[in-house]
Amino acid sequence: MSGRDGHGSVVSLPGDPPGGRRAALVWGVGVAVYFVAVIFRTSLGVAGLDAADRFGVNASALSTFSILQLLVYAGMQIPVGLMVDRLGTKKVLTIGVLLFTLGQLGFALSPSYPMALASRALLGCGDAMTFISVLRLGTRWFPARRGPLVAQLAGLVGMAGNLVSTIVIARLLHGVGWTAAFAGSAAAGVVVLVLLLLFLKDHPEGHEPEPVPHAGAAFVRRQIAESWREPGTRLGMWVHFTTQFPAMVFLLLWGLPFLVEAQGLTRETAGELLTLVVASNMLVGLVYGQVIARHHAARAPLALGTIAVTATLWAAILVHPGDHAPMWLLVTLCTVLGACGPASMIGFDFARPANPPERQGTASGIVNMGGFVASMTTLFAVGVLLDATGDNYRIAFSSVFVLEALGVVQILRLKSRTARRERERLVASRVEAVHVPV
């Protein structure tokens, strides 16, 4: 257990995990699983135009691939959180690896659009089991004061997986073809499965969690209700909702078509800009993690500032006169989109102190659901608007502002309530620390 002193620093109390090299090794195996899951998740982002040609589908049908994948992912978040709280990290990650590897292999071999859809759904189901498990692994192996940095590092490694998609898989697609590229990448799932089975452990010796009594549906309802009742959980969900989706939509599906078809760039140049988003994400993630670990009060300003700058850059692109925006503006947009992933991780840092260890998986599932619901909604809206307007990207991408406005309203509504609850917990933790035997 931990609290924060009057200067915003973490106060470690007895029971904190020790961290160290063993923790880094075990956590690293979990993060490797997440790394591969992100490669598989984002591989469609560089293959969107190829998929449209392969299966003979329009923009709406193409967006269905990502929408279905995210629908399954978002719908699985609370069940996966409950599974992690109940079964532990290793079992859930094992199931996840098996599912997303089969999904990637099935996508490689799919001869038809319906079978390809089913494969992406299977992939989304397995992918849904990874990130919450990795967050839980971090809280079990590292002291609470390392929480923000560990979470940002996990997100950074995930973006490295996105980088592999934008560079390696894109080249494989145009080198060895669809089937070989996707089937070959599925081998990475087998590698991390072996590492997982050999080296991963749920928690360090002597830090076993208290057994959680299971009472069927009543237990599930209580876990969800108690997590949702905390304003920190809800604030975390809305922060994740509002910050993640602009970059997710851009990287997952619509960035490449927008840059090529609407902005007149070559595929190579568009791929470089997608890579810039990922590189910016990795750099900003390190900065955000360090800032929040040292200055907890910076969470809300960083999140809201990222939202404001992202909206401003999108508006500048969409209202720019002429057929194409200048390259410097596109580069600036892609650089700023790189901050969206790290900003979304702030959501977990609102939910983490609001919930006890036995509810961390459930609370993380609620938070993680936010960004993917927003991404799924925007992917669908952009696809429908493109078909309805004859591929008018200005109108289609204007849907971004609707969801950002909704999210900002909710963040502002919950921010002060969450701060008040955290202050109350700080007082309680100080009292508890005084009574801890030395």
Side-chain angles (χ1 to χ4, degrees), residues 181-205:
F182 281 100
S185 67
V190 178
V191 173
V192 294
L193 177 61
V194 172
L195 293 174
L196 165 64
L197 294 175
L198 289 178
F199 299 111
L200 194 135
K201 189 176 180 182
D202 283 352
H203 46 75
E205 295 292 339

Side-chain angles (χ1 to χ4, degrees), residues 152-178:
Q152 288 288 354
L153 286 174
L156 186 151
V157 173
M159 288 309 297
N162 203 326
L163 192 63
V164 171
S165 292
T166 58
I167 296 177
V168 178
I169 291 185
R171 291 179 180 175
L172 285 174
L173 274 171
H174 298 103
V176 300
W178 178 282

Side-chain angles (χ1 to χ4, degrees), residues 1-4 8-12 16-19 27 31 131 134-156 285-286 288-294 296 299 342 344-353 360 364:
M1 181 175 182
S2 66
R4 289 185 181 268
S9 302
V10 175
V11 178
S12 295
D16 246 2
W27 180 77
V31 169
F131 189 63
V134 170
L135 288 180
R136 172 64 171 262
L137 203 62
T139 62
R140 290 297 188 194
W141 280 90
F142 292 97
R145 66 180 181 277
R146 301 293 185 192
L149 183 58
V150 168
Q152 288 288 354
L153 286 174
L156 186 151
L286 287 174
Y288 277 21
Q290 292 284 358
V291 170
I292 295 170
R294 296 172 180 172
H296 216 50
R299 292 172 301 170
S344 71
M345 299 299 298
I346 296 171
F348 297 102
D349 203 45
F350 281 112
R352 191 182 302 112
Q360 288 294 323
S364 295

Side-chain angles (χ1 to χ4, degrees), residues 53-378:
D53 292 337
R54 179 179 175 87
F55 300 111
V57 295
N58 60 13
S60 295
L62 181 61
S63 66
T64 303
F65 276 123
S66 296
I67 291 168
L68 177 62
Q69 182 181 335
L70 293 184
L71 178 64
V72 172
Y73 186 105
M76 287 290 293
Q77 289 309 291
I78 293 178
V80 167
L82 291 164
M83 288 173 63
V84 170
D85 286 337
R86 183 62 187 166
L87 301 178
T89 301
K90 186 169 185 174
K91 291 180 182 178
V92 176
L93 276 180
T94 301
I95 297 170
V97 173
L98 291 171
L99 291 177
F100 69 59
T101 301
L102 289 173
Q104 185 79 341
L105 183 61
F107 195 57
L109 304 176
S110 294
S112 64
Y113 177 69
M115 187 173 292
L117 276 179
S119 297
R120 294 308 285 187
L122 188 64
L123 192 158
C125 186
D127 182 18
M129 299 183 179
T130 59
F131 189 63
I132 293 175
S133 298
V134 170
L135 288 180
R136 172 64 171 262
L137 203 62
T139 62
R140 290 297 188 194
W141 280 90
F142 292 97
R145 66 180 181 277
R146 301 293 185 192
L149 183 58
V150 168
Q152 288 288 354
L153 286 174
L156 186 151
V157 173
M159 288 309 297
N162 203 326
L163 192 63
V164 171
S165 292
T166 58
I167 296 177
V168 178
I169 291 185
R171 291 179 180 175
L172 285 174
L173 274 171
H174 298 103
V176 300
W178 178 282
T179 301
F182 281 100
S185 67
V190 178
V191 173
V192 294
L193 177 61
V194 172
L195 293 174
L196 165 64
L197 294 175
L198 289 178
F199 299 111
L200 194 135
K201 189 176 180 182
D202 283 352
H203 46 75
E205 295 292 339
H207 290 268
E208 293 80 2
E210 293 292 330
V212 179
H214 195 290
F219 166 80
V220 171
R221 287 194 300 268
R222 185 172 63 254
Q223 286 285 93
I224 296 173
E226 291 178 354
S227 297
W228 182 258
R229 192 175 297 122
E230 291 292 342
T233 304
R234 301 198 303 277
L235 176 59
M237 186 197 73
W238 283 109
V239 167
H240 200 269
F241 176 99
T242 317
T243 53
Q244 188 203 47
F245 80 92
M248 177 68 74
V249 168
F250 199 79
L251 289 171
L252 200 60
L253 184 61
W254 291 122
L256 188 70
F258 168 74
L259 294 171
V260 173
E261 296 177 353
Q263 298 301 318
L265 303 181
T266 64
R267 281 194 179 213
E268 291 73 20
T269 304
E272 291 172 357
L273 287 177
L274 293 179
T275 303
L276 175 61
V277 176
V278 178
S280 172
N281 184 297
M282 296 172 73
L283 178 62
V284 174
L286 287 174
V287 174
Y288 277 21
Q290 292 284 358
V291 170
I292 295 170
R294 296 172 180 172
H295 307 285
H296 216 50
R299 292 172 301 170
L302 281 177
L304 290 169
T306 302
I307 295 165
V309 176
T310 303
T312 300
L313 265 296
W314 262 122
I317 294 283
L318 298 181
V319 303
H320 191 276
D323 294 333
H324 303 145
M327 179 57 72
W328 69 264
L329 191 53
L330 294 173
V331 168
T332 305
L333 171 68
C334 290
T335 303
V336 170
L337 285 176
C340 291
S344 71
M345 299 299 298
I346 296 171
F348 297 102
D349 203 45
F350 281 112
R352 191 182 302 112
N355 292 274
E358 63 271 17
R359 287 209 311 265
Q360 288 294 323
T362 305
S364 295
I366 293 172
V367 172
N368 208 31
M369 185 173 62
F372 289 92
V373 168
S375 298
M376 177 180 60
T377 303
T378 309

